[in-house]
Amino acid sequence: MSEQQQAVRHRLIMAGLGGIAGLALWALGERWGDPAVPPAAFLALFAFVASYALVALALCGPITVARALAGGLAFAATFTVLISIAGLRYKAATDLFNDAAMLSVSAVLVLFCTPFLLVWLQDRTAVLRYDRLFDAAWMLTARYALAWVFVAAFWLVAFLSDALLDLVDITVIDTLLRPGWVRFGVSGAVLGLGLAVMQELRHTLSPYPLLRLFRLLVPLVLAVIAVFLVAVPLRGLRGLFGEFSAGGTLIGAAAVAVSLISMALDRDDAMAVRTRGLQLATRCLALLVPALAALAVWAVVLRVRQYGWTPDRILAMTVASFLLIYGLGYAGAVLTGRSWMARVRQINVWVALLAIAVAVAWMTPLLDVYRISTASQLARYESGHTAPAQLALWPLAHEWGRAGEAGLAALETAAEKSDNALLVQRIGDVRIATNRYQFEEELQIRDLSERMSALLNLMPVRPDGASVEPETLRNLPAYLLNAWLDGCRRKTADGRPGCVMVKGAFLPSVAAGEQAMILYLDDKSDTRISHVFLQPGSSVSIRDVLDTETLGWPKLPSATISEVQDGRYSLQPSGVNALAVGGQLLAPAQ
């Protein structure tokens, strides 16, 4: 058989295998949600078909079809067992498809294992050689990426052709491609054909232009990370880890640094960066990665201390820890001197194997993130570190599988023993809520009512004898209610609530009992002030308050609130009546 005939034969085989894979996935999709198919069986079938098709098609070409099918079968069987074990932690096994963390870990397992499997099937003695793994990973990625581009191009041509023929009332393309099984089968066949052609052109698919372009980013990333690490001690860690977690940004930056270092070192020393400046920049970047990764780990630790473990935080900690391992390994290799590039490449191999091991553990009871997260929430409640409002009740009830359900029952028992009626009520609400938005909206409404009562109990009202009806503040915006309540909970220098309401006829067009000025302390202990209309049944109207002399926002010391609480103020006209306190006239904005 000639070389051309072999190529045609291989294309037909790949198109056939791709078409079969597409039809199998279509058949499974038709059974999605079918009560006659047990969720565990559906999950296992889907995992087997998807992983077998993905890996076997990737292996066909670099090795014979028979060896590729056998290797893909071995991997798919193992992967299916792991997925089935992971499915046991969910109420219904198919709930796994809603778990982004589990899907990410499963993808990592497939992507990391496939190059090792390919090299092992080609030459078992070379399975730990970085250059062989590098070539395998690149070729697998390039072939699949370009094959999917070919699939997209095919469907673009098909849709344009159908639109063109439709202009002359010919609908044959639409008729042929309308059934779902046809679309899946054709897509699979086109994908298989694309993979076969890319294998024929493998010698023209070079990663080197792309890698050489990315190498030019090493000095830029080095400069940015160096400036950041110098600025951190000057600015302080407290400023870095503020209200919002910096973990995601730090993890992303460390991952970019690790990737650029690997790109600069290429598959071997002969292809690695040779320019002295870029070599030096790569070595310096390798020395900085541990500090950046350590900050990422610390950012996740702080969030865990605040709110406890969740599956997302466990995944973030896992990724940050891997980046720290990379960083420590890279820095150690650089500091050893000669052959540091070879050591870095070997570190990449061993860390990849470690990632595969962790992914396997994640899918088994060895690393059940739902169990860990549930235990964390229970421990924080029992120790008093977490208020009922901060507990992850919705995930416990609806997202963390069997462990979460059991944890919610244990939490309910603990709440009943401690007579925590509020928590018992919230647990009952979360069990019957149909969606997270509904549950959080009901909690917010109940919480606003509780916070409103707390505000009215804390806030002094002047002049003496004046009061405010809860009905008048019913439509107060949540952000303003929170600001006033937080202000009231802060204390003045003499230990009194850091807020006060002054009722009076500031605007002559509104009755004195239906308007007031609210003074409260902000988070910097400065006095803030607002003019409000207190009209029952209508939305609360808020106006700014201005200094009548500067016509700007007044700057008031914290002692102003105490003066008003003591009655040391008066109402004076300023076109409208103004609040005179501390030598200033404060009037509602017009």
Side-chain angles (χ1 to χ4, degrees), residues 219-535:
L220 174 61
V221 173
L222 171 64
V224 172
I225 291 178
V227 170
F228 170 78
L229 293 177
V230 169
V232 166
L234 299 177
R235 189 173 183 267
L237 290 178
R238 186 174 182 181
L240 177 63
F241 305 114
E243 181 179 355
F244 299 101
S245 175
T249 302
L250 292 167
I251 288 173
V256 167
V258 168
S259 300
L260 288 177
I261 292 169
S262 296
M263 291 177 187
L265 301 190
D266 216 301
R267 68 188 298 275
D268 52 38
D269 287 352
M271 305 304 299
V273 59
R274 296 182 180 180
T275 307
R276 182 173 297 181
L278 283 178
Q279 272 195 6
L280 180 60
T282 302
R283 297 182 71 163
C284 292
L285 185 59
L287 292 173
L288 296 184
V289 171
L292 196 62
L295 289 174
V297 170
W298 184 245
V300 180
V301 168
L302 290 180
R303 274 296 179 263
V304 172
R305 285 183 177 179
Q306 287 179 299
Y307 305 110
W309 288 108
T310 65
D312 289 342
R313 293 192 187 104
I314 296 174
L315 181 60
M317 178 59 79
T318 303
V319 175
S321 299
F322 267 97
L323 291 171
L324 184 57
I325 293 171
Y326 272 117
L328 293 174
Y330 287 5
V334 169
L335 293 174
T336 57
R338 292 183 178 181
S339 301
W340 68 275
M341 292 185 180
R343 291 190 181 90
V344 167
R345 296 188 193 98
Q346 205 56 39
I347 288 168
N348 285 344
V349 174
W350 290 109
V351 174
L353 290 173
L354 179 61
I356 292 173
V358 171
V360 170
W362 191 289
M363 302 170 75
T364 66
L366 292 174
L367 187 53
D368 186 342
V369 294
Y370 290 163
R371 176 176 49 80
I372 295 171
S373 301
T374 299
S376 174
Q377 293 295 311
L378 287 172
R380 290 180 64 82
Y381 172 74
E382 292 171 355
S383 64
H385 286 99
T386 299
Q390 295 178 319
L391 287 169
L393 296 181
W394 180 265
L396 283 168
H398 300 283
E399 296 177 0
W400 292 355
R402 301 180 188 277
E405 193 174 49
L408 193 68
L411 194 62
E412 184 177 35
T413 301
E416 290 173 347
K417 289 181 179 179
S418 60
D419 294 326
N420 192 331
L422 175 61
L423 180 55
V424 172
Q425 182 181 29
R426 290 189 172 188
I427 292 174
D429 291 341
V430 74
R431 282 189 172 131
I432 63 175
T434 57
N435 58 70
R436 187 166 193 161
Y437 174 78
Q438 175 194 3
F439 172 64
E440 292 180 349
E441 185 179 37
E442 291 175 354
L443 285 186
Q444 186 178 32
I445 292 173
R446 189 179 299 119
D447 185 59
L448 285 176
S449 177
E450 294 169 358
R451 294 177 72 83
M452 182 67 68
S453 299
L455 176 67
L456 295 177
N457 289 332
L458 286 173
M459 180 177 285
V461 182
R462 298 291 181 270
D464 291 335
S467 62
V468 59
E469 295 297 326
E471 182 67 23
T472 61
L473 297 177
R474 180 176 299 277
N475 296 318
L476 184 68
Y479 78 92
L480 201 56
L481 170 61
N482 293 333
W484 290 357
L485 182 56
D486 291 343
C488 289
R489 286 173 173 168
R490 297 182 181 103
K491 299 297 182 182
T492 60
D494 52 9
R496 288 183 286 181
C499 64
V500 65
M501 174 186 289
V502 183
K503 303 185 76 171
F506 299 103
L507 292 179
S509 58
V510 181
E514 296 181 355
Q515 57 179 312
M517 285 193 186
I518 309 291
L519 292 84
Y520 61 97
L521 293 177
D522 62 14
D523 56 359
K524 297 180 181 178
S525 296
D526 294 330
T527 299
R528 305 285 295 275
I529 183 168
S530 299
H531 177 243
V532 298
F533 295 127
L534 307 171
Q535 297 171 326

Side-chain angles (χ1 to χ4, degrees), residues 45 103 106 108 110 156 190 207 226 285 327 344 399 457 492 498 523 534 538 558:
L45 282 171
L103 294 178
S106 301
V108 166
V110 174
L156 178 61
V190 173
L285 185 59
V344 167
E399 296 177 0
N457 289 332
T492 60
D523 56 359
L534 307 171
S538 64
S558 58

Side-chain angles (χ1 to χ4, degrees), residues 67-263:
R67 286 176 65 83
L69 293 177
L73 178 62
F75 176 82
T78 305
F79 183 76
T80 301
V81 170
L82 291 172
I83 282 289
S84 298
I85 293 173
L88 296 175
R89 68 184 64 171
Y90 303 90
K91 299 175 186 177
T94 48
D95 289 345
L96 181 146
F97 294 120
N98 299 321
D99 186 347
M102 180 63 74
L103 294 178
S104 300
V105 170
S106 301
V108 166
L109 184 61
V110 174
L111 294 176
F112 278 47
C113 282
T114 306
F116 282 97
L117 178 60
L118 175 56
V119 175
W120 186 80
L121 290 171
Q122 292 173 323
D123 182 1
R124 297 183 184 182
T125 63
V127 71
L128 296 180
R129 283 181 51 183
Y130 184 80
D131 56 342
R132 295 289 298 273
L133 292 169
F134 181 95
D135 292 339
W138 161 253
M139 191 54 60
L140 291 169
T141 303
R143 287 177 63 223
Y144 253 114
L146 292 173
W148 277 113
V149 170
F150 179 54
V151 173
F154 169 85
W155 282 110
L156 178 61
V157 171
F159 290 143
L160 288 176
S161 301
D162 178 59
L164 182 63
L165 294 179
D166 189 55
L167 295 177
V168 290
D169 296 327
I170 298 176
T171 61
V172 61
I173 295 179
D174 177 66
T175 302
L176 289 174
L177 297 180
R178 181 172 297 176
W181 66 271
V182 174
R183 293 196 297 272
F184 272 80
V186 169
S187 295
V190 173
L191 177 65
L193 178 61
L195 287 170
V197 174
M198 289 304 102
Q199 177 62 23
E200 297 168 17
L201 301 174
R202 60 189 178 279
H203 298 299
T204 65
L205 300 177
S206 172
Y208 306 127
L210 189 63
L211 295 182
R212 277 160 174 72
L213 283 175
F214 279 113
R215 289 175 185 177
L216 300 178
L217 297 177
V218 170
L220 174 61
V221 173
L222 171 64
V224 172
I225 291 178
V227 170
F228 170 78
L229 293 177
V230 169
V232 166
L234 299 177
R235 189 173 183 267
L237 290 178
R238 186 174 182 181
L240 177 63
F241 305 114
E243 181 179 355
F244 299 101
S245 175
T249 302
L250 292 167
I251 288 173
V256 167
V258 168
S259 300
L260 288 177
I261 292 169
S262 296
M263 291 177 187

Side-chain angles (χ1 to χ4, degrees), residues 545-556 583-587:
V545 174
L546 303 178
D547 188 318
T548 58
E549 292 186 5
T550 65
L551 298 181
W553 286 304
K555 296 181 179 180
L556 303 173
Q584 291 179 283
L585 289 179
L586 309 174

